[in-house]
Amino acid sequence: MAPKIEYYCPCLSESPHPPPPNRPSSSYSFHPLHNLFFCEECDAVRCNRCVSVEVSGYYCPNCLFEVPSASVRAEKNRCARNCFLCPNCRNTLTVVPSDPPEDVDSRMSPIVSTTLGEPPFFLYCNHCRWDSAEVGITFEKPTGLAAQLQKFEDSAPESLEFERLKEHFEPFLRASSSSSALPSASSHHVHTNPITAAASSALARDIPGVGKYNPLSRSRVGREKGAHRQEYPDYKSRVEVGTALSGEADVEFLRHLETVSQVAALEQRWTNSWVSPLSASDLKPLRIPLQSKKSKRCPSCRHILIKPEQKAQSVRFKIKLVAANYLPAIAVTLPHAQAAIEMLKRTSKTTSAAAQAEEQQAAGALIAGHSYSFHLAFTNPLYDPIQIRLAKAIAPAQTAEGDEAAERARRSTFQIQLPSAAFPVGAFAEAWEYDDEDEAMFLDDDGMEVVEARGKKGKDGRGKTRSVGIVEKRANVTIVSGEVLIPKEARGDVKFNMLVSYTYRSDDPEPSEEAQTGTPSRSHGANKGPEMKNFSFYTVVDLGSIMYREEPKLTADL
Amino acid sequence: MPPIRDKFTIHSKAVVCQDVELKGDITIGAGTIVHPKATIFAIAGPIVIGSGCIIEEGAIIVNRRKEVMRIGDDNLFEIGCRVESPTVGNCNTICTRARVHHTLRISSYCVVGAGVLVVPTEDEMLDEYTVIYGPAAERRVWSGRGKVQEMDLRRKHAEYLREMLPKFNRLRRGDGA
C-alpha cells in the first residue's frame, strides 16, 4: 500500500479540527487534492460533499447534441434523434441497411452496392451483434428514426393508459386551476398543457396537518374545491388491473425457462422507465438517456466554482476554481521502500507482475520496532514563493480510560517528528524560465533557518542521514523529510493529521493587479511593501500499515 | 525437443511483411495479408492459414500441439490478439487484444469481442455465428444479418492492404530456410 496524503475539508462545520484519522468514519472528510475546490471569496476549501450542484445543460452522449431544457421535459430525458441503446449490452446502436439479396455465386460477387444501402434498415449493435430485427423493429428510411419509432411507443399499453388518465382528469384540472387563480392569470392557465396543470394542482393539494397556504382569494377557492370534489366520476382503466399486473404470463414464462440467460438481467432492465419484459429476447432498444453538465457553487457565498462550457463536446471549463491552483500539492514517499524496490529490480530476473507487486508491498512495509523517515514533496502552484510551516494536529481529547491505559496507549502509538521551522518553496514558472536547477535562484529567502540538512539529494537515503528537514529544493518543489518512530507494541495503520500553514509574501508592492492572482486571502487595502497572507489546512498522511517483526518477510526467489 | 525447423510456404499472392516473426512449418494461402510485427509460431506442429485472412500487428498465432493448426479463409485477427485454437473456420473476427485458449475450437462466422479472454476448462467447439463479448465473456448467437456486407468490407479491406502495404513495407518472399 503506497503512502498517500489527503486533504481535509471542514464542510462548513464549526470546529476546524479534523477528526482523528483512525476512525473509519473520518475517511469521508478527507479528499485527494484533485477532488477539491477553492472559493476565493470565503478563502476556504470546498469538497464535493458541500458544494451545491446545479444543472447547466443537457446533452446526448452519442450525438453530442445540446438539448434545450424545454425539450428535455417533452422528450422524457431521452435523445429525440437517432440515438438508441442496445438492450443487450447497452452500447450505442447504429443504423444499417439489410444485406443485398444473395446471388447464386455470392462468394465471388463483385463488390457493389448502392451507397445508401437497401431497405429495410434496422438497428445493429457492433459489440454484441444484436439487431432490432430480432424484436421486429425495422425502418424504411435511415433518418428520422424517432418519428418512425413514435408509432410503436405510442401504442404501448402504458402510454395509452397514461393518455386516457390525462384526458379523464383534464376538465377537472382546468376548472380547479382556473377558479383558484387570479382573473388576470387565469388566461395563462387555460393555455397550459395537462402535465403542467397536473403538476401545479398537485402542489396545491391538501396536506393533512399543514395549513393550506393560499395567497389568492381564499374563501372562494374553498367552496369551489369542495363542490368539485363531488363531481369526480370514477375512472375506468382500459385494461383490467387485476389481470394485467398479476404476472400470470411471467410465471408461465419462468416455468418454461431453459437457461438462466433467457431472463433479462437487472442491468438490462432498469434503464427503462416502464416495467420491461422479463425475457431477454423481448427487450426493445431504448432511446439514449440524456446526460447533464453540472456547475458547482460555494454553499455559503454562492460564488460559482465550476462552470463548464456550453458546447457538449468541449471538456473545458469557463470557470475553474480548483484547489490545486491554490494549495500546494503534497506527495509522500518512503525512501527506504524505493531503494528496496530498485535493488529488487536490479537483481530479480523474470518475476511476474503479481510477484513484483507483492515485493513492492513488502518492501514498503513498516516493521514495528524500527524508525523510518519519509519524504514530503511540496509543489507550489502560485506564481510567488511561499513559506510552509508544518505542525502535528492535536487530536481532540479522547475518552479517558484511566492513567495506566492512557499511558500504555501513548507508548504503543507511533511518534512523528516533523520539521518545525518554516521552509520556502519556490514560485511556479514556465519550464523555460528556470535557469538551472541550483539553489542560486532562491537568494531572497534570507530570513529563514534551515534545520540541519545533511542528506541533500536523499533519494538513496538508506544510510545514516536521518535528519528532519529539507532534503531537496528544485524549481517549485521542495522535499522535506520527517521521521516516524514505531515502538514494538504498535499496531494498525500509521496515519496522522498534519496542519500545513503557508505564508504568501508578495515581493513587489502592487496589490491592485498581483494580489488578486491566485492569492489565498484577500488583500487589505492598497499597501505598499510586502504583505503577509496566511492560509492553513489540515491533511492526513497515511504511511501504510505496521507489520509485525515476527512475520517472515515476503521475499521473492532471487 | 527437436529443434524447430523453419519451412515457410507462402503463396505468391500473399503479402507478408519483412518484420514478421515466423517459426516452424507455416503455410500461408493466397491473398492473405500479414502486417509487420505479427508473430506466427508453429512451435510443436505446423500452421496452415487459408486465403484472404488479415493478420494485424501484434497478433500472436501459436501452435503448441503436434496436430496441424488450420485457419480458414477470410478471417480477421485484429491488433494484439492471441490465438492458440487448433481449428479456426472461415469469416471469423478475433477482435483487439482477445485471447483464445487452445481448448476452444472456432467454427465459422464467429466474433470474439475486444479484450475478451476465452478459456473454457474443457475442449469446446463454438457454434457458428457465436458472438463472445463483454468482460465476463458472455455469449450470444448472432442472427447472421449483415454478414454479406461484412464480408464485402473485409474483401475491400484486404484489397486496400494488398495495394498499400508493399508501398511502405518490405515484403518477405518465398520460403525461408
Side-chain angles (χ1 to χ4, degrees), chain A residues 145-164:
Chain A
L145 300 184
Q148 297 179 44
L149 210 49
Q150 196 67 23
K151 300 192 303 292
F152 288 108
E153 291 184 358
D154 278 345
S155 57
E158 291 95 4
S159 24
L160 283 180
E161 191 75 42
F162 190 53
E163 291 291 327
R164 271 194 92 209

Side-chain angles (χ1 to χ4, degrees), chain A residues 88 97 99 111 128-129 131, chain B residues 74 140 143 146 149-150 156:
Chain A
N88 209 5
D99 279 341
I111 305 165
C128 67
R129 304 278 170 127
D131 51 40
Chain B
D74 293 323
R140 64 181 301 274
S143 64
Q149 295 172 66
E150 193 175 327
K156 278 195 223 173

Side-chain angles (χ1 to χ4, degrees), chain A residues 88-89 97-100 102 106-107 109 111 122 124 127-131 133-134, chain B residues 73-74 111 131 133-134 140 142-150 152 155-156 159:
Chain A
N88 209 5
C89 61
S98 309
D99 279 341
E102 298 217 11
S106 60
R107 177 156 166 82
S109 67
I111 305 165
F122 51 90
Y124 170 78
H127 190 55
C128 67
R129 304 278 170 127
W130 179 91
D131 51 40
E134 294 186 9
Chain B
D73 305 330
D74 293 323
V111 176
V131 179
Y133 62 97
R140 64 181 301 274
W142 180 26
S143 64
R145 260 177 281 255
K147 67 173 185 275
V148 172
Q149 295 172 66
E150 193 175 327
D152 238 14
R155 258 175 271 142
K156 278 195 223 173
E159 256 194 36

Side-chain angles (χ1 to χ4, degrees), chain A residues 74-318:
Chain A
E75 299 289 337
K76 304 186 184 74
N77 289 8
R78 306 277 161 144
C79 184
R81 297 148 138 232
N82 306 339
C83 305
F84 289 93
L85 219 54
C86 171
N88 209 5
C89 61
R90 283 155 333 271
N91 250 350
T92 313
L93 293 174
T94 55
V95 186
V96 296
S98 309
D99 279 341
E102 298 217 11
D103 306 332
V104 176
D105 49 351
S106 60
R107 177 156 166 82
M108 302 310 281
S109 67
I111 305 165
V112 63
S113 52
T114 58
T115 45
L116 208 44
E118 307 201 352
F121 299 88
F122 51 90
L123 297 166
Y124 170 78
C125 171
N126 213 1
H127 190 55
C128 67
R129 304 278 170 127
W130 179 91
D131 51 40
S132 67
E134 294 186 9
V135 286
I137 298 182
T138 56
F139 305 101
E140 290 307 315
K141 291 182 300 160
T143 52
L145 300 184
Q148 297 179 44
L149 210 49
Q150 196 67 23
K151 300 192 303 292
F152 288 108
E153 291 184 358
D154 278 345
S155 57
E158 291 95 4
S159 24
L160 283 180
E161 191 75 42
F162 190 53
E163 291 291 327
R164 271 194 92 209
L165 274 169
K166 280 194 289 183
E167 284 165 19
H168 183 260
F169 283 115
E170 194 178 308
F172 307 110
L173 286 172
R174 290 260 177 98
S176 62
S177 65
S178 60
S179 66
S180 63
L182 289 171
S184 59
S186 63
S187 54
H188 298 289
H189 277 262
V190 170
H191 297 304
T192 53
N193 60 18
I195 301 182
T196 317
S200 56
S201 74
L203 278 177
R205 201 171 39 206
D206 269 345
I207 299 177
V210 176
K212 194 160 158 55
Y213 169 70
N214 206 336
L216 316 157
S217 54
R218 294 180 187 126
S219 51
R220 195 163 59 97
V221 171
R223 260 185 289 122
E224 295 221 6
K225 269 212 181 292
H228 278 270
R229 211 165 277 131
Q230 291 143 15
E231 287 179 18
Y232 287 170
D234 287 330
Y235 172 71
K236 280 224 169 6
S237 61
R238 279 184 66 244
V239 185
E240 268 301 314
V241 177
T243 55
L245 296 179
S246 70
E248 282 276 345
D250 285 346
V251 173
E252 276 305 310
F253 166 68
L254 285 175
R255 276 210 196 106
H256 297 184
L257 269 188
E258 286 171 29
T259 55
V260 180
S261 54
Q262 281 179 326
V263 179
L266 201 58
E267 286 104 0
Q268 292 170 338
R269 279 196 288 161
W270 65 23
T271 330
N272 207 352
S273 317
W274 305 115
V275 173
S276 43
L278 254 193
S279 73
S281 49
D282 274 349
L283 291 171
K284 305 260 187 302
L286 312 158
R287 303 228 181 143
I288 287 193
L290 299 173
Q291 295 187 350
S292 60
K293 280 197 166 193
K294 303 181 192 44
S295 56
K296 302 190 179 171
R297 282 180 192 265
C298 174
S300 50
C301 66
R302 307 279 304 152
H303 202 205
I304 292 189
L305 300 173
I306 298 281
K307 187 171 172 138
E309 282 193 9
Q310 194 56 32
K311 291 176 36 143
Q313 58 260 41
S314 124
V315 291
R316 295 188 295 177
F317 298 98
K318 275 198 204 137

Side-chain angles (χ1 to χ4, degrees), chain B residues 81-94:
Chain B
C81 71
R82 186 190 172 99
V83 176
E84 297 186 22
S85 158
T87 312
V88 179
N90 304 328
C91 306
N92 297 302
T93 306
I94 317 282

